[in-house]
Amino acid sequence: VPLTMELNKYTRLKNLDYVMASHQDPDIITSMPRWLVYTDAKVVASKLWARFLPHLNSSFMSERMKGNWEDRLIELPDRGQVIQLGESKLVIVPAHFLHSVGNFQFYDPVAKILFSGDMGAS
């Protein structure tokens, strides 16, 4: 709830295009069903961990989601990927073993900001 309240100061939840899951730890990914209920966003997560995501979802949440969650999942290959954000791009950088297998960091080449998540916490 605190995160959504803070986000609402800057934008409406329905304006979110992506929810980035840097890795599979519960502090990162267990909120996935709520994001899929309250937004139209796609979830970006490691292909390695995608098979575990259905276990986070209850039938209660599935009935309230907008569409099928699998259609809204972008599975990141181990090598990383680039995702289009409007007229810019977000570079998804593999950071395997800097926290866990399947860990990714996100780089904005325009703002020159690297979201490193839990880097070095393993």
Side-chain angles (χ1 to χ4, degrees):
V1 175
L3 177 60
T4 55
M5 289 173 58
E6 196 63 29
L7 271 173
N8 277 321
K9 292 180 183 177
Y10 303 98
T11 189
R12 294 177 183 244
L13 290 179
K14 69 179 185 173
N15 292 338
L16 294 180
D17 292 325
Y18 301 103
V19 173
M20 309 288 185
S22 59
H23 59 286
Q24 83 294 346
D25 286 355
D27 63 330
I28 299 297
I29 199 65
T30 55
S31 63
M32 179 199 71
R34 285 189 301 255
W35 289 111
L36 293 173
V37 168
Y38 297 113
T39 74
D40 292 324
K42 293 183 184 252
V43 173
V44 180
S46 169
K47 183 176 184 174
L48 175 68
W49 296 108
R51 64 183 178 204
F52 296 99
L53 298 181
H55 300 288
L56 302 174
N57 202 20
S58 67
S59 60
F60 176 83
M61 294 303 271
S62 289
E63 293 169 3
R64 286 152 182 79
M65 279 182 197
K66 299 171 184 173
N68 183 341
W69 74 270
E70 291 170 317
D71 295 335
R72 295 171 60 193
L73 177 64
I74 296 175
E75 296 182 22
L76 298 173
D78 285 345
R79 70 182 179 285
Q81 187 171 324
V82 174
I83 291 183
Q84 194 72 33
L85 284 175
E87 295 181 21
S88 188
K89 295 178 179 170
L90 188 66
V91 181
I92 302 171
V93 182
H96 313 304
F97 304 106
L98 290 178
H99 178 67
S100 68
V101 177
N103 185 50
F104 288 93
Q105 297 179 357
F106 305 92
Y107 180 67
D108 178 340
V110 174
K112 297 185 173 152
I113 295 172
L114 175 69
F115 175 77
S116 59
D118 291 348
M119 181 171 77
S122 62

